[in-house]
Amino acid sequence: MCKFIVNTQLPPRLARFLRTKGYDAIHTTHFSEGNLLEDDEIVAIAKDQERTVVTKDSDFFDHFFLKGAPPKVLLMQFGNIANTELLELFDGNIEVIVDFFETGHELVAFKRDGIVAY
């Protein structure tokens, strides 16, 4: 089962949504440092708890290509998006995304026009 940590620039509502779908998901606001968590702290949490980082931050993409996994990364490439539309896109694609991770992919880029797994 995939476990997720949703990064600061995404809404806590996304973590709640993932939990309603049966996934173990937390948001960075779950921690006392909340939105002040640095990327390296998020990476450490993700590694320690075996979570996939859900983010819009391209720094995690760069980190992945420099250092590889862990952690696994789900990179959201939507630009500005309403929370409702974000959740609708997740609802229609979460099973495909999870399947990519469960079949060995470690980086998944999620865009409006498709999903690319590395």
Side-chain angles (χ1 to χ4, degrees):
M1 166 85 55
C2 280
K3 294 168 47 176
F4 299 98
I5 181 168
V6 179
N7 198 2
T8 302
Q9 74 285 78
L10 292 166
R13 187 173 165 192
L14 178 57
R16 288 191 301 273
F17 169 81
L18 290 167
R19 287 193 298 272
T20 68
K21 295 295 183 182
Y23 299 101
D24 181 337
I26 57 176
H27 192 270
T28 54
T29 56
H30 170 84
F31 299 91
S32 60
E33 298 86 10
N35 292 334
L36 300 176
L37 282 175
E38 298 290 330
D39 290 353
D40 60 337
E41 293 172 300
I42 295 168
V43 166
I45 292 166
K47 286 180 179 180
D48 183 56
Q49 297 182 13
E50 298 180 0
R51 293 185 181 278
T52 298
V53 177
V54 182
T55 187
K56 289 173 73 174
D57 186 347
S58 62
D59 289 347
F60 286 94
F61 184 82
D62 297 340
H63 178 274
F64 178 86
F65 278 107
L66 289 173
K67 298 184 180 180
K72 296 179 181 181
V73 177
L74 173 56
L75 181 65
M76 314 288 288
Q77 296 182 306
F78 299 126
N80 291 333
I81 186 170
N83 289 345
T84 303
E85 184 181 359
L86 174 68
L87 297 180
E88 287 173 0
L89 286 166
F90 256 91
D91 197 32
N93 291 284
I94 189 62
E95 291 177 11
V96 172
I97 291 166
V98 167
D99 188 56
F100 278 129
F101 286 120
E102 289 181 345
T103 58
H105 295 88
E106 297 175 323
L107 172 65
V108 174
F110 186 18
K111 306 174 186 184
R112 279 187 172 95
D113 61 349
I115 302 169
V116 179
Y118 300 89

